[in-house]
Amino acid sequence: MKPPAGPPAGWVALVGAGPGDPGLVTVRGLALVRMADAVVHDRLVPPELLDFAPEGAQRIFVGKSPGGEMRSQDEINALLVGLARAGRRVVRLKGGDPFLFGRGAEEAEALARAGVPFEVVPGVTSAVAGPATAGIPLTRRGVASSVAIAAGHGAPGGATGRTDWGALARADTAVVLMVVKRLADVVGELLAAGRSPGTPAAVVQDATLPGQRTVTAPLGGIVEAARRAGIRPPAVLVAGEVVRLRDVLGGWDTRSLSGVSVLVTRPRDQAPDLSAVLRELGAEVIEAPAIRIAPPRSPEPMRRAARAIAAGRYSWIALTSANGVHALAEALRAEGLDARALGSTRVAAIGEGTARALSGLGIRADLVPEAFTTQALGKVFPRAPASGGRVLLARADKADPALTAAVRARGWTPEDVVAYRILSAGRLPAAVRRRVVRGEVDVLTFASAGTVRAFLGALGERPAGKVVCIGPVAARAAREAGLRVAAVAREHTIAGLAAAVVKAAGRRAR
Ligand code: SAH
């Protein structure tokens, strides 16, 4: 049977994005984001999750804009129905769980009414994750066996004044969301409904995010304590005997970089490994690529080099980055060649990334210096035989001339060929610039001298924050630009750089 004519059937998935840490989305939720044609999201959704949507997917923000404008719920419902009817696979991403104070129910009702197929993917709600990450379980055998959850705007004068505060006060554990503005009213209601002022209470702000903060006090004093601490939304209030367990269970997040913000300036296609390692250690990672890699102005010199390789004219090829390896592979391919063209030509590689990229081509480097710097490669490079020999240096346009000189000093004839160009990535996003200048980014990382110069050029003023470099060359560039370098990686690798970040942040490796 032929499928019915007409547009492909669209659908909507109401997906819980979790409380803030992008790692707390479900596997199912992420799978749907990865296949979405459109992602409709609001303010509390982790921005990192949007990066998982396919490149061409529409990203539609329907939360409060900076001017406070907000789309009405009817408009959002109509948008979802319209997109699905146009055949789109729509992911409606909502903070926490979509069916807890997220107006997910209203959207699901609208979809059901319109006959649009939809599914609901539950999420980790802040009502549970907020207390949990502050070391507060909602129940505990012998301490608490019931929980009630309410919204703060249900307090008198709020948007919905219909909350049964008595029921909330009688539950062993009370959790209140959307609570910061109305904290005094909410606490007043709980006390009026009979909850003792001595009840342990906590307010947890930015739960599961790098800036997570927790304030504890007896219920009678929590309003003042939160005010003094400058607690801001989003935050949850939790009240009940379980809050005492925090004394034993709090502080479990001992990851080396939890609470530390780190700027990653590597180009985007190379940043993921560094960012992933830093996030794994608990850091908040801010990606602001300072440079981008571009092909050489003319492909001809590299292609000529590829032909010379095939003709056996080089004794050595020296590569200093994965970009150089990719450029070499591309030049060989363009000449109808592959790795076999190298024959007995030997290959030297700086850095594990370079060696790894080479092994991707089936080439094992003959020489990988122990210290991953250009100088180190120069030092361990073998002496040329009496008959001499040519060495191809396939590197960036602004490559360090020290390597060329070192190779020549060892009796070889070096031949520098531009394999790729390093360009500035251009303007820094305004939000990143603001945070860097104000000192709201703890550590700035640089994986090359080029990124140091390009980043400072784009910033145009002095950054605050500790500077950490992958090796001595990048560190020298930073010092020359007047920066104080807090740490240089001992091993010039991603792992080494991450370890140096831990050190600069004054943390201990676990
Ligand atoms: N559906 C969401 C709640 C949406 S209402 C969920 O299940 O979590 C928005 C409220 O959620 C905020 O006012 C705040 O009370 C709470 N909230 C969301 N993210 C939070 C976070 N990271 N830390 C603390 N509270 C959070």
Side-chain angles (χ1 to χ4, degrees):
M1 209 171 68
K2 276 201 344 191
W11 47 252
V12 177
L14 293 167
V15 174
D21 177 343
L24 291 175
V25 71
T26 62
V27 174
R28 173 78 184 142
L30 190 60
L32 289 163
V33 170
R34 285 183 192 276
M35 67 167 83
D37 301 312
V39 180
V40 181
H41 60 101
D42 34 36
R43 200 167 41 94
L44 289 178
V45 164
E48 294 88 344
L49 292 183
L50 302 178
D51 292 341
F52 287 99
E55 203 143 291
Q58 263 180 295
R59 290 159 175 80
I60 306 171
F61 176 69
V62 294
K64 239 185 223 153
S65 70
E69 290 279 304
M70 215 160 122
R71 294 208 202 199
S72 74
Q73 193 58 51
D74 283 343
E75 281 173 323
I76 297 172
N77 296 350
L79 174 72
L80 296 176
V81 169
L83 286 167
R85 285 197 174 143
R88 303 281 161 71
R89 291 167 291 190
V90 184
V91 167
R92 171 67 170 117
L93 254 191
K94 290 177 158 292
D97 181 89
F99 277 2
L100 189 74
F101 300 132
R103 303 192 74 170
E106 288 157 71
E107 292 172 15
E109 282 160 26
L111 295 166
R113 267 198 307 275
V116 168
F118 70 93
E119 91 173 80
V120 180
V121 180
V124 175
T125 177
S126 61
V128 176
T133 52
I136 303 167
L138 296 186
T139 67
R140 162 73 164 83
R141 198 163 54 94
V143 177
S145 59
S146 64
V147 185
I149 301 174
H153 54 49
T160 55
R162 298 213 324 253
T163 305
D164 179 352
W165 294 98
L168 204 76
R170 279 188 302 278
D172 294 327
T173 306
V175 178
V176 185
L177 275 61
M178 296 176 269
V179 77
V180 176
K181 267 200 214 133
R182 313 201 56 85
L183 189 59
D185 296 329
V186 166
V187 170
E189 288 296 326
L190 287 172
L191 294 175
R195 195 93 217 206
S196 147
T199 308
V203 177
V204 186
Q205 176 189 324
D206 288 326
T208 78
L209 291 166
Q212 171 160 353
R213 297 200 296 152
T214 305
V215 174
T216 53
L219 191 57
I222 193 73
V223 177
E224 176 57 19
R227 195 193 55 76
R228 237 183 300 119
I231 289 288
R232 286 190 312 250
V236 298
L237 167 72
V238 51
E241 289 303 315
V242 285
V243 174
R244 289 190 205 283
L245 295 171
R246 174 172 157 79
D247 295 343
V248 182
L249 305 178
W252 54 271
D253 189 358
T254 56
R255 289 180 297 174
S256 316
L257 290 177
S258 64
V260 177
S261 50
V262 183
L263 186 78
V264 170
T265 54
R266 310 194 89 193
R268 192 141 277 161
D269 53 341
Q270 293 167 33
D273 35 355
L274 176 59
S275 300
V277 170
L278 293 170
R279 282 200 185 104
E280 196 52 44
L281 293 170
E284 176 200 8
V285 173
I286 304 145
E287 284 183 359
I291 58 169
R292 77 190 157 83
I293 304 300
R297 276 184 210 289
S298 158
E300 188 40 37
M302 269 309 281
R303 291 183 60 165
R304 204 180 313 124
R307 293 195 294 272
I309 290 170
R313 283 203 214 114
Y314 295 114
S315 305
W316 281 90
I317 302 172
L319 297 158
T320 57
S321 78
N323 296 311
V325 176
H326 299 320
L328 175 67
E330 175 55 29
L332 289 169
R333 200 195 54 76
E335 290 295 320
L337 299 165
D338 62 25
R340 288 169 297 178
L342 270 66
S344 59
T345 312
R346 278 163 295 168
V347 181
I350 288 186
E352 60 176 20
T354 312
R356 210 181 318 123
L358 271 169
S359 68
L361 300 180
I363 299 170
R364 218 182 58 125
D366 299 280
L367 178 65
V368 184
E370 236 159 62
F372 293 129
T373 62
T374 297
Q375 282 90 336
L377 180 58
K379 279 205 200 94
V380 299
F381 213 75
R383 277 198 178 286
S387 53
R390 294 211 295 165
V391 177
L392 171 65
L393 302 167
R395 295 186 294 162
D397 51 342
K398 293 167 196 141
D400 188 350
L403 180 60
T404 319
V407 167
R408 183 173 294 117
R410 288 188 134 44
W412 302 98
T413 307
E415 196 175 298
D416 270 304
V417 176
V418 174
Y420 58 93
R421 287 181 300 150
I422 297 177
L423 304 180
S424 162
R427 274 164 47 92
L428 273 181
V432 173
R433 150 189 300 281
R434 205 173 323 119
R435 288 188 64 179
V436 168
V437 172
R438 284 193 195 154
E440 289 169 8
V441 177
D442 300 315
V443 181
L444 317 179
T445 62
F446 297 102
S448 71
T451 51
V452 173
R453 288 190 280 265
F455 176 76
L456 292 176
L459 189 66
E461 52 190 307
R462 256 187 101 73
K466 300 199 167 120
V467 172
V468 173
C469 297
I470 197 165
V473 181
R476 186 169 2 104
R479 290 195 188 102
E480 276 167 13
L483 300 182
R484 213 182 79 73
V485 176
V488 181
R490 247 195 294 152
E491 218 185 284
H492 313 310
T493 61
I494 295 304
L497 183 54
V501 171
V502 171
K503 192 173 139 216
R507 299 298 186 84
R508 261 188 308 167
R510 257 210 312 194

